[in-house]
Amino acid sequence: MSQIHPTALVAPGAELGADVEIGPFCTVGPKVRLGDGVRLISHVVIDGATSIGSECTVYPFAVLGAPPQHLAHKGEDTRLEIGDRNLIREHVTMQTGTVGGGGVTRVGSDSLYMVGAHVAHDCIVGDRVTFANSATLGGHVTVDDYVFMGGLCAVHQFSRIGRYAFVGGGGIVTKDVIPYGSVWGNHAHLEGLNLVGLKRRGFSREAINALRAAYRLLFADEGTFQERLEDVAEIHASNAEVMEIVNFIRSDNNRPLCLPEREV
């Protein structure tokens, strides 16, 4: 049995799973689907064609499924899809996609979105990510699994953030961040690998050492970047983590990368 507070407004057509809790002064639109065990604490707005997976908890004043902040959007029926077991704190905003961007914004599972985090239209966000307070994505951003986004950081539209990467607090990311990388600053630059995150996630010493060796070669001063990339791919062809970085770089030659700062 679902529990709906008498002050909540649930539109006809909304689909509620088992054991859903909708607290005081929440608003749920007619195209919304809430999975089993979803909890809306109070004053939550779920709008648009939005689906939320099971056992998510949403805190007051979050707005999920509002239209995209995009001048080309003319009210088309685009979607927001949110996975399972997410903790979505106060004032978080996630918006539906645009027709030009594929029509859907996708958010994965088992993640924490702290106060004021924002996921814009057409973003693809993976599983087990953490967005600290006011971390913000522009449109069409891809954030892979296990990424940590520091407080007040912002990611430029169309950027990619690879798996296990770390974006430091206040970082302004205008270029792609390699998997396992750690970036800081305005504009953000690579400070090395996300070693703390790798250790916390249980990566072996051998895997971390291979990543460090590959990183040093990839961002050395000798030769061209393309030559160094090919050297890394040849030397570490059997290492899955290193090749994930190589394949990430090769997969989109049109996007610039966050690079280490050079000493002057």
Side-chain angles (χ1 to χ4, degrees):
M1 292 291 293
S2 295
Q3 301 179 41
I4 302 175
H5 194 275
T7 62
L9 298 177
V10 179
E15 299 180 26
L16 308 183
D19 300 317
V20 167
E21 297 181 23
I22 300 178
F25 301 104
C26 292
T27 301
V28 178
K31 299 179 181 179
V32 171
R33 296 174 55 194
L34 303 182
D36 296 346
V38 167
R39 296 179 62 219
L40 311 182
I41 301 298
S42 74
H43 299 82
V44 173
V45 176
I46 314 292
D47 200 6
T50 297
S51 63
I52 300 180
S54 63
E55 299 178 23
C56 290
T57 300
V58 187
Y59 277 75
F61 307 107
V63 179
L64 309 178
Q69 298 175 115
H70 196 300
L71 292 175
H73 183 72
K74 304 302 181 184
E76 297 91 348
D77 192 16
T78 55
R79 307 191 312 280
L80 169 65
E81 299 175 357
I82 300 173
D84 304 323
R85 297 175 300 279
N86 292 300
L87 184 60
I88 299 173
R89 294 302 303 259
E90 297 85 351
H91 297 280
V92 169
T93 51
M94 299 179 180
Q95 297 172 349
T96 61
T98 63
V99 170
V104 59
T105 302
R106 289 192 176 92
V107 173
S109 301
D110 299 298
S111 299
L112 169 59
Y113 296 87
M114 298 186 199
V115 173
H118 174 67
V119 177
H121 60 86
D122 305 298
C123 289
I124 307 296
V125 181
D127 300 332
R128 296 178 173 84
V129 302
T130 299
F131 280 45
N133 292 16
S134 298
T136 297
L137 303 183
H140 310 275
V141 170
T142 299
V143 177
D144 291 335
D145 299 344
Y146 297 101
V147 167
F148 187 99
M149 306 286 294
L152 300 170
C153 71
V155 182
H156 190 272
Q157 61 192 34
F158 292 100
S159 297
R160 300 179 299 151
I161 313 294
R163 289 201 318 152
Y164 294 97
F166 178 91
V167 178
I172 306 300
V173 180
T174 61
K175 302 175 182 179
D176 290 353
V177 179
I178 60 172
Y180 312 102
S182 177
V183 299
W184 298 81
N186 181 11
H187 289 7
H189 58 272
L190 270 175
E191 284 284 351
L193 295 170
N194 182 17
L195 297 177
V196 173
L198 292 174
K199 293 174 182 176
R200 286 177 176 172
R201 294 292 182 181
F203 281 74
S204 68
R205 178 174 297 181
E206 292 75 13
I208 292 174
N209 286 341
L211 284 167
R212 295 179 71 177
Y215 182 95
R216 286 193 294 268
L217 175 55
L218 184 60
F219 298 109
D221 292 327
E222 296 79 12
T224 67
F225 182 79
Q226 189 60 40
E227 290 170 343
R228 298 194 300 271
L229 180 65
E230 297 306 319
D231 289 342
V232 168
E234 181 178 352
I235 294 170
H236 298 280
S238 61
N239 185 281
E241 290 83 13
V242 172
M243 290 307 298
E244 183 173 350
I245 296 175
V246 171
N247 293 331
F248 178 92
I249 295 170
R250 286 174 171 172
S251 66
D252 192 345
N253 293 324
N254 295 318
R255 287 287 312 164
L257 288 174
C258 284
L259 300 173
E261 281 193 321
R262 298 299 183 189
E263 296 183 1
V264 295

